[in-house]
Amino acid sequence: MGNALYSKVHVEKENSQRAKSEDFDAEVAELLREERELEEVVFGIVGNILGTLIMTFKAAFLPFLDDLSSYLMPMRGKDKTAKERIKCINIFLNLVVHCGRASLRYYIIYLPFILESSNDENPDVRQIAFCGLELCAEYGGYNFKPYIGEALSRINVVIMHFNALEPESLEAYDAAVLALGLVKTIAYIKLPTAFFVPFVFRKDGGEVGEVKKKVDKEFPF
């Protein structure tokens, strides 16, 4: 598995250099595109295998995962595809759910990446990132508290965005609202009514005040 990840990183560096060369043309561009798609498939398979191993062996697998970390870290880059970034987040979420307190030491590594991804241009990346924030708030407890301020800020950006209720963004919006509820319970704060204004424009939203009451009831202190 390490060889597969190493090969992927190595090939990406080679392709980047080829793309900058003077001999770069349309034919080479097509070959690079095909190679890039294949690399994405390979990383998807590796990610699925890692997820299965984490779910099966839980914390006992972490020393082996640490050995692969130098290959996994580059997958968080903005130059990676949405599918690769999503897969990287999913690997961490498997740690959170299946490894208990042993996963807490990974928060400092992955949470900044998830926070950044929550405002990604791709709505699928935003959705999985907010699912990640929700899980981290639920399982992390005290360890999540240092990230509460930035989490609320990034949630606010998505909820208040003028495209928040467009069809392609709705799932990310809903995930942000759920994350907001759990972050609220961790922070022991009352949320301002402004957080709930976008609900009024949804067909099932109802009045702002009523929606706020529903969220407060579902996520009480």
Side-chain angles (χ1 to χ4, degrees), residues 113-153:
F113 167 56
I114 290 179
L115 286 164
E116 183 177 359
S117 298
S118 67
N119 289 164
D120 195 274
E121 293 181 358
N122 186 290
D124 293 330
V125 175
R126 292 200 301 274
Q127 180 188 0
I128 191 65
F130 281 120
C131 288
L133 288 179
E134 183 183 351
L135 288 172
C136 288
E138 179 179 357
Y139 287 89
Y142 179 82
N143 293 273
F144 184 77
K145 286 191 173 183
Y147 304 94
I148 285 175
E150 185 174 357
L152 288 173
S153 175

Side-chain angles (χ1 to χ4, degrees), residues 36-218:
R36 190 72 184 84
E37 290 177 353
L38 182 58
E39 291 163 12
E40 187 179 86
V41 171
V42 170
F43 184 64
I45 294 172
V46 170
N48 290 339
I49 294 172
L50 286 174
T52 300
L53 290 171
I54 291 169
M55 287 187 284
T56 302
F57 298 103
K58 298 179 171 54
F61 180 69
L62 296 185
F64 300 97
L65 185 68
D66 290 340
D67 290 339
L68 299 173
S69 62
S70 61
Y71 305 117
L72 290 173
M73 290 304 101
M75 297 302 105
R76 302 178 301 170
K78 291 184 177 180
D79 59 324
K80 306 307 176 188
T81 67
K83 289 183 179 179
E84 287 172 330
R85 298 198 302 280
I86 288 173
K87 186 62 67 175
C88 195
I89 293 173
N90 275 327
I91 291 172
F92 172 61
L93 298 189
N94 276 312
L95 293 177
V96 172
V97 173
H98 299 288
C99 296
R101 295 190 61 81
S103 69
L104 296 178
R105 63 190 176 96
Y106 294 93
Y107 277 45
I108 194 172
I109 300 173
Y110 282 93
L111 255 178
F113 167 56
I114 290 179
L115 286 164
E116 183 177 359
S117 298
S118 67
N119 289 164
D120 195 274
E121 293 181 358
N122 186 290
D124 293 330
V125 175
R126 292 200 301 274
Q127 180 188 0
I128 191 65
F130 281 120
C131 288
L133 288 179
E134 183 183 351
L135 288 172
C136 288
E138 179 179 357
Y139 287 89
Y142 179 82
N143 293 273
F144 184 77
K145 286 191 173 183
Y147 304 94
I148 285 175
E150 185 174 357
L152 288 173
S153 175
R154 290 182 177 275
I155 289 170
N156 189 46
V157 168
V158 170
I159 290 179
M160 297 300 182
H161 196 279
F162 67 92
N163 283 332
L165 302 178
E166 293 297 320
E168 67 274 10
S169 298
L170 270 181
E171 291 186 357
Y173 173 81
D174 288 340
V177 171
L178 289 174
L180 174 62
L182 274 171
V183 171
K184 167 178 116 57
T185 65
I186 297 297
Y188 295 102
I189 58 173
K190 289 290 185 181
L191 295 172
T193 302
F195 267 110
F196 300 90
V197 170
F199 276 106
V200 80
F201 298 106
R202 294 195 58 171
K203 293 181 180 179
D204 59 345
E207 297 296 328
V208 173
E210 290 302 312
V211 174
K212 185 175 186 299
K213 289 179 183 177
K214 289 179 182 178
V215 175
D216 284 338
K217 182 178 180 181
E218 185 174 353

